[in-house]
Amino acid sequence: MANIHPTAIIGENVSLGENVSVGAYSVLDGDISIGDNSVLHSHVAIAGETEIGANGEIFPFASVGHQPQDKKYAGERSRLVIGNNCSIRENVTINPGTSGGGMETRIGNDVLLMAGAHVAHDCQLGDGVILVNHVALAGHVTVDEHAIVGGLSGVHQFVRIGAHSIVGAMSMVENDVIPFGSVLGNRAYLGGLNLVGLKRRNFDREEIHTLRAAYRMIFSNEGTLRERVEDAAEIFEGHELVDIVVSFVRKPSERSLCMPKNGVDGHE
């Protein structure tokens, strides 16, 4: 049974799971479903065709599922899907998809969106992603699992941020970030590998050493990037972390890659 504050407004098409709590002055109006044991604090606003998983927590003044900030949006029926165990902090805004991007914004499990973060239309966030305070993702951005985007950073539309990567605070990211990469700056450049993150997530030490060797090869100054990537794919074939980077770089993209400023940096 849900626990609903008497001042909350719940639309007729809202479905609440077991033991959901809805705080004072919250407004839920749309084709909304919220999973078991989720907590909505006061002044939460949820709209549209929005699905939220179990064990989530949404804090005051979050705006979830309202109309995309896209002039091309014409009222098409699009969706927002949020996974389990997600924490959406104060003043976060999340928009659903559009016809130009597959009609769906999707957020994985165990995601933390800190205060003031914005997730625009058609973004795709993997499991375990963290957006720190006041991060702004433009439309069609992909952030793969366990990536972290530092506070006050902005991410250009269609950018891909690879798994287990990290974006330094106050960065402007206009190009793709390789998996396991570390970028920073305005405009963001590749500063090396996210070695701290790799160690914290208990990746094998030998695999990390192999990834470092492949990184040096891919981002050296000899030949073209495509040639270096193909060389790394051949030399380090069967090494999982290298394979992930190679696959990411080979995949077609609307954006270029974030590159080191002056060849391979010492942080790798």
Side-chain angles (χ1 to χ4, degrees):
M1 182 174 179
N3 178 20
I4 302 172
H5 192 277
T7 62
I9 299 173
I10 309 295
E12 61 182 13
N13 293 327
V14 175
S15 174
L16 302 179
E18 292 294 323
N19 199 36
V20 170
S21 177
V22 181
Y25 301 105
S26 291
V27 178
L28 283 62
D29 190 15
D31 292 325
I32 298 164
S33 67
I34 299 177
D36 297 347
N37 303 309
S38 292
V39 176
L40 280 58
H41 295 278
S42 69
H43 300 89
V44 171
I46 304 178
E49 188 171 337
T50 298
E51 176 184 330
I52 300 173
N55 304 307
E57 188 169 14
I58 305 179
F59 287 79
F61 304 106
S63 171
V64 178
H66 291 84
Q67 180 173 322
Q69 298 176 106
D70 183 347
K71 287 189 173 181
K72 298 185 295 299
Y73 180 72
E76 57 265 30
R77 188 178 178 89
S78 58
R79 302 178 69 218
L80 167 63
V81 179
I82 299 174
N84 300 322
N85 309 310
C86 291
S87 180
I88 298 171
R89 295 303 308 235
E90 298 83 354
N91 298 297
V92 165
T93 54
I94 311 171
N95 296 150
T98 66
S99 60
M103 301 291 283
E104 184 175 277
T105 300
R106 180 172 288 270
I107 294 173
N109 301 316
D110 304 296
V111 169
L112 170 58
L113 306 179
M114 294 190 190
H118 174 64
V119 179
H121 59 89
D122 304 294
C123 286
Q124 307 290 313
L125 276 60
D127 295 346
V129 164
I130 298 175
L131 304 185
V132 184
N133 299 318
H134 299 288
V135 166
L137 303 184
H140 311 277
V141 167
T142 299
V143 186
D144 290 334
E145 60 269 19
H146 300 293
I148 300 173
V149 184
L152 301 168
S153 294
V155 183
H156 193 283
Q157 58 262 37
F158 294 101
V159 159
R160 300 177 300 147
I161 296 178
H164 301 280
S165 61
I166 188 165
V167 175
M170 295 188 288
S171 294
M172 176 58 219
V173 185
E174 62 179 353
N175 292 314
D176 293 345
V177 179
I178 62 167
F180 317 110
S182 173
V183 306
L184 66 163
N186 180 19
R187 285 353 193 199
Y189 65 91
L190 183 60
L193 293 173
N194 181 19
L195 295 177
V196 172
L198 285 162
K199 292 172 183 175
R200 283 178 177 173
R201 299 206 64 80
N202 297 314
F203 282 97
D204 180 77
R205 180 181 294 271
E206 290 304 315
E207 283 296 308
I208 294 173
H209 287 318
T210 302
L211 177 62
R212 294 179 71 181
Y215 175 93
R216 293 189 186 99
M217 174 178 290
I218 292 170
F219 294 102
S220 69
N221 293 318
E222 297 180 4
T224 67
L225 176 62
R226 177 174 292 182
E227 290 170 341
R228 298 192 300 266
V229 169
E230 295 308 316
D231 287 344
E234 181 178 348
I235 292 170
F236 300 102
E237 183 179 5
H239 290 274
E240 181 182 4
L241 303 190
V242 179
D243 288 345
I244 290 171
V245 174
V246 168
S247 177
F248 182 92
V249 175
R250 284 173 168 169
K251 187 175 181 180
S253 176
E254 299 278 345
R255 310 300 300 171
S256 300
L257 284 180
C258 285
M259 299 290 286
K261 274 188 173 180
N262 297 300
V264 177
D265 192 277
H267 291 96
E268 93 289 358

